[in-house]
Amino acid sequence: MPAVVLVTGFEPFGEHAVNPSWEIAKTLSGLRIGDAFVVARELPVHYKHCTQLLGSLWEEHEDVRFAIHCGVGRAGAIRLEQRARNGPYVRLDNQGQTPVGGVCAPDAAGRLERLTPIDAEAVAAVCRCSAIPVETSNDAGLYLCEFSLFTSLHLAKAPAMFVHVPPVGQPCPLPLLRDTVQRIVECVAQQLGNCGSALAPVTPTVKAHIKVGCGVFVTSPRHPGCVIMGRRLAAHSDGNPHGKGTYALPGGSVEFGETFEACAAREVLEECGLVITDVRRLATFDIIKPEDGYHCVVLIMAGSLADDQAEPVNCEPRKCGGWFWHPWHAPLPKPAFSSLQHCKDANISPFGASGGGGGG
């Protein structure tokens, strides 16, 4: 029998009337990866039946080189799961059931978790030039996604990894998701070096892209002449380190189908826990930093607090060191994020007439 690469996706469940993981997996069926061929299967969102189907798949194919299980996750990025836990699985499946004892494998001999032997960090690093952010994760969600990964790792027939894809259109169309998942499969094959000499070197399937983001001046009559700033602790969602450790306005990437005003309001709520009104655009900057591999069109927005007494809360402590009010007429804290420095240099202000933007 020919060598096989297993790629699985899940059936629809909950709010996902169409599950992009299976829509992607089925298009990869028959794809040649070196001397192996992709075999794609749809997994049920049912603990017992999922265990049975995975067991039969591993038994049916004698020469499985590796397995990539796919499922739908949060919006924004593709996440490569590095570990799977044996439980507790308490969330009900499509049949309203949970596994016996709340665990995946009762015979796991005290193994609370298993780690993928695939170097997910290396795969993510290779794929970071893709149009969709690719990240690693250590929390697969304790539902059927993590359950399927633990099952395959526990069977220990061949290396396995789980890939969480975002819902379609959040922010990525299905063809782009499919191309990126295929590239991940190719990267894993090349890393493991067990799919024969026919596997060509992995080359980018998606060109580097321009990001569109926003920075938001948040004002309050309780803090006249001041705006909210914070210190960035994390890299961008696509792994680009540009701006890490700098002081910046609240803000982030514009999602597919989202207006600039909606993006500004969403980012301030997600990052600071604040609701803003009178959202408006002040300027646009085209920021190009070739040395950092960074090119972003940044919309500078402004908005006032809906509640004059509200204060910012650090809702994402892994990404921000904390929010504070800073007088806009005062010198910027150093180092300043590029778009914030552009605002200062161009005399952009949420408190009156100002310039209208510029280049990088």
Side-chain angles (χ1 to χ4, degrees), residues 63-330:
D63 189 7
V64 177
R65 301 301 175 85
F66 62 92
I68 299 295
H69 300 307
C70 301
V72 61
R74 301 189 304 274
I78 290 176
R79 293 175 175 84
L80 310 182
E81 303 297 343
Q82 301 181 104
R83 71 163 183 162
R85 293 161 287 185
N86 198 21
Y89 293 95
V90 298
R91 185 177 171 186
L92 300 180
D93 62 21
N94 274 358
Q95 301 301 317
Q97 299 178 7
T98 59
V100 176
V103 298
C104 176
D107 62 337
R111 290 290 297 272
L112 300 180
E113 66 178 36
R114 294 186 182 274
L115 303 178
T116 175
I118 297 168
D119 189 343
E121 290 283 0
V123 175
V126 172
C127 294
R128 276 180 182 142
C129 60
S130 300
I132 305 173
V134 179
E135 306 170 348
T136 58
S137 167
N138 287 309
D139 185 358
L142 283 174
Y143 193 40
L144 267 296
C145 296
E146 189 161 355
F147 187 88
S148 65
L149 179 58
F150 190 92
T151 298
S152 286
L153 293 175
H154 179 60
L155 290 172
K157 302 283 188 179
M161 185 174 72
F162 197 93
V163 177
H164 264 127
V165 300
V168 175
Q170 298 186 27
C172 312
L174 190 61
L176 197 55
L177 286 173
R178 187 263 186 205
D179 289 347
T180 308
V181 172
Q182 177 179 336
R183 185 155 188 254
I184 289 169
V185 173
E186 293 171 342
C187 287
V188 171
Q190 190 169 49
Q191 180 189 117
L192 296 177
N194 61 0
C195 284
S197 59
L199 180 63
V202 176
T203 54
T205 57
V206 184
K207 292 182 178 180
H209 65 295
I210 301 173
K211 297 181 64 175
V212 179
C214 75
V216 189
F217 282 110
V218 179
T219 62
S220 169
R222 190 178 182 184
H223 301 275
C226 294
V227 298
I228 292 176
M229 295 184 189
R231 189 166 185 267
R232 298 170 60 99
L233 300 181
H236 292 270
S237 58
D238 62 0
N240 191 298
H242 176 76
K244 184 176 180 179
T246 63
Y247 290 91
L249 301 171
S253 297
V254 180
E255 295 186 351
F256 181 82
E258 188 176 45
T259 66
F260 302 144
E261 292 77 10
C263 175
R266 174 182 56 79
E267 288 289 351
V268 172
L269 180 61
E270 290 178 353
E271 296 182 349
C272 307
L274 297 172
V275 176
I276 57 174
T277 60
D278 187 28
V279 182
R280 59 203 185 277
R281 183 168 71 90
L282 299 182
T284 305
F285 293 114
D286 186 22
I287 300 178
I288 305 173
K289 301 290 183 181
E291 66 277 12
D292 292 341
Y294 180 81
H295 185 180
C296 187
V297 176
V298 181
L299 287 301
I300 302 301
M301 312 293 291
S304 305
L305 291 186
D307 179 359
D308 293 348
Q309 302 304 308
E311 293 293 336
V313 176
N314 191 6
C315 299
E316 299 177 328
R318 290 183 298 176
K319 298 181 179 180
C320 177
W323 301 105
F324 58 92
W325 293 97
H326 184 80
W328 184 237
H329 62 81

Side-chain angles (χ1 to χ4, degrees), residues 3-9 20-33 36-42 57 60-61 68 70 178-179 181-182 185:
V4 164
V5 172
L6 286 179
V7 178
T8 67
S21 66
W22 173 238
E23 298 303 311
I24 293 167
K26 68 183 181 182
T27 67
L28 299 180
S29 183
L31 178 70
R32 183 171 181 177
I33 304 291
F37 290 87
V38 171
V39 170
R41 291 290 185 272
E42 183 181 35
L57 274 175
E60 176 185 351
H61 301 284
I68 299 295
C70 301
R178 187 263 186 205
D179 289 347
V181 172
Q182 177 179 336
V185 173

Side-chain angles (χ1 to χ4, degrees), residues 34-58:
D35 65 351
F37 290 87
V38 171
V39 170
R41 291 290 185 272
E42 183 181 35
L43 298 180
V45 182
H46 185 284
Y47 293 105
K48 182 178 179 180
H49 295 165
C50 181
T51 300
Q52 293 172 341
L53 181 55
L54 281 173
S56 64
L57 274 175
W58 285 105

